[in-house]
Amino acid sequence: MSVAYKSIQWNRQKLVYDAILLTTVGLYLAIFMTVASKMGPGLDFKGISIRAYGSAAFILLNVILSIGPLTRLDKRFMPLLFNRRHMGVTMFFLALIHAIGLKLPALPYKVDGVLTWYHDFGNLKPWVSLFVGNTEYGDLSRFPFETLGAAALVIFLVMAATSHDFWLVNLTAPIWKALHMGVYLAYGLVVVHVILGPLETNQHPLLTVAVGVSLVWIVGLHLLTALREARLDNAPLGVPDQAGFIDVGSVSEIPADRAKIVTLAGERVAIFKYDGKLSAVSNVCQHQNGPLGEGKVVDGCITCPWHGYQYHPANGASPPPFTEKVPTFALKVVGDRIWVNSTPNPPGTYVEPAVVGA
């Protein structure tokens, strides 16, 4: 959380994260080019470079799309989530180099991209040549797959450009979230782009197989997570009493400074136990819809496990000077049983915590 929009404050965690990320990408590119150049004397280095950057972007895209579901299945993946945006921006630049190339004063040579290597030898501008050079949209084996990659690159550009919290606040969370869900459309475009590319040349069947494995992995991982979430939403609860309170479980099953998540009237509610008390708030963080109930109470505040946004348990409001608020729910303790009212209070409404063992 930040009070004002200013230059990124690099801390040790961010530096280590980015150092590992960039080192891994650099090693991959070096290994790919070295191995590919030794596979046959007829392979052109510039073509190898284009494939190296393109494959690096695709692999990183798969990692990015895997992090969310993996954190829901195993909390040990959570550290990868905090700076996932850095991966997204890195992936965009890799895809951009794959498309248009790179020329820096520090480099002794120019890294050619698809546009400069395949579309810069005629009278047309490369971007024009890309879209009009092949219009065989009705022929699967000759389909102009490059246009699909270009469409995906535009989506990645929009996502990279709006990755800062400035845009999250000014676009509002729902619009920003919907915009960034475009990554799944981009992934589909990239998958078809890569599959149809080898089909046109019929030289790299292994690449097609690898993309197929990627598709099975991403779809399967998201389906597995969705089934897990569905079981949570469909967990049976007791019958409401006359005041609208529902028995949602026992006090003893909630660890200290942690929460239990239940679904009431179609909304997920996080019930936190802290300092011998219980409070219930909406499970949805106002930052990026993170699961508050999977976080913990730190320094007296519910702390979202995704990006560290905090809320007071009793009123669902962020500590000043922050202004984020989430709905709260009335609750009571009868013996060892927790009863929560299914009707949410307006965001930021104070609810007296239930005292455990009172």
Side-chain angles (χ1 to χ4, degrees):
M1 301 177 71
S2 58
V3 179
Y5 302 110
K6 51 188 177 182
S7 300
I8 296 174
Q9 305 301 305
W10 296 103
N11 54 30
R12 183 178 182 278
Q13 183 196 42
K14 290 181 182 290
L15 290 173
V16 171
Y17 190 103
D18 288 350
I20 294 174
L21 172 61
L22 296 178
T23 299
T24 302
V25 170
L27 286 174
Y28 172 82
L29 293 173
I31 293 172
F32 185 102
M33 294 182 193
T34 300
V35 173
S37 63
K38 295 182 181 298
M39 291 180 63
L43 296 176
D44 184 89
F45 178 77
K46 293 182 178 180
I48 292 173
S49 176
I50 290 172
R51 288 168 174 78
Y53 282 96
S55 61
F58 184 69
I59 292 172
L60 201 52
L61 177 59
N62 277 266
V63 173
I64 291 167
L65 292 177
S66 298
I67 290 175
L70 286 174
T71 57
R72 311 309 297 274
L73 299 174
D74 191 328
K75 298 300 180 289
R76 288 175 294 182
F77 290 98
M78 195 65 74
L80 296 175
L81 186 63
F82 292 119
N83 295 308
R84 182 172 52 176
R85 294 185 195 181
H86 295 210
M87 282 191 183
V89 173
T90 302
M91 181 272 297
F92 164 69
F93 279 110
L94 289 170
L96 187 65
I97 295 172
H98 167 74
I100 68 174
L102 176 68
K103 176 59 179 177
L104 295 175
L107 292 177
Y109 58 90
K110 177 183 178 182
V111 177
D112 281 293
V114 171
L115 285 181
T116 55
W117 186 238
Y118 294 104
H119 295 275
D120 199 20
F121 297 100
N123 296 326
L124 297 176
K125 291 184 178 298
W127 278 108
V128 176
S129 174
L130 173 69
F131 289 103
V132 304
N134 178 9
T135 57
E136 298 288 341
Y137 288 96
D139 186 345
L140 185 61
S141 64
R142 290 178 49 79
F143 191 91
F145 62 92
E146 297 98 330
T147 58
L148 301 177
L153 186 62
V154 171
I155 296 175
F156 294 144
L157 170 62
V158 172
M159 293 178 62
T162 59
S163 62
H164 196 278
D165 272 359
F166 171 85
W167 293 105
L168 175 64
V169 172
N170 286 276
L171 292 173
T172 70
I175 294 177
W176 188 92
K177 188 74 174 180
L179 182 67
H180 281 248
M181 288 296 286
V183 67
Y184 292 101
L185 172 60
Y187 173 74
L189 291 170
V190 170
V191 166
V192 181
H193 164 77
V194 178
I195 290 177
L196 293 182
L199 282 180
E200 186 164 310
T201 60
N202 198 29
Q203 294 179 352
H204 305 285
L206 182 60
L207 180 59
T208 306
V209 173
V211 174
V213 171
S214 159
L215 187 60
V216 172
W217 165 259
I218 295 297
V219 173
L221 188 61
H222 280 75
L223 285 177
L224 180 63
T225 307
L227 290 174
R228 176 184 177 275
E229 298 296 304
R231 286 197 297 269
L232 173 65
D233 289 337
N234 296 325
L237 296 173
V239 178
D241 63 13
Q242 292 183 345
F245 286 81
I246 301 175
D247 185 342
V248 298
S250 66
V251 174
S252 59
E253 65 182 294
I254 306 178
D257 296 327
R258 296 284 183 173
K260 175 181 179 178
I261 302 172
V262 298
T263 300
L264 301 175
E267 181 171 356
R268 291 181 183 176
V269 179
I271 306 160
F272 279 89
K273 182 166 74 174
Y274 61 100
D275 299 332
K277 297 176 290 185
L278 292 171
S279 290
V281 301
S282 168
N283 189 54
V284 181
C285 178
Q286 289 299 294
H287 179 221
Q288 287 187 29
N289 297 334
L292 290 178
E294 296 181 18
K296 60 183 178 180
V297 176
V298 178
D299 297 329
C301 289
I302 297 169
T303 304
C304 181
W306 280 16
H307 301 102
Y309 272 59
Q310 292 187 311
Y311 306 86
H312 289 299
N315 61 12
S318 296
F322 307 107
T323 58
E324 287 79 13
K325 299 176 182 179
V326 296
T328 57
F329 294 79
L331 77 167
K332 60 185 179 181
V333 177
V334 180
D336 186 50
R337 307 301 296 179
I338 305 170
W339 292 73
V340 180
N341 195 298
S342 61
T343 302
N345 298 305
T349 301
Y350 178 82
V351 174
E352 185 68 29
V355 179
V356 177

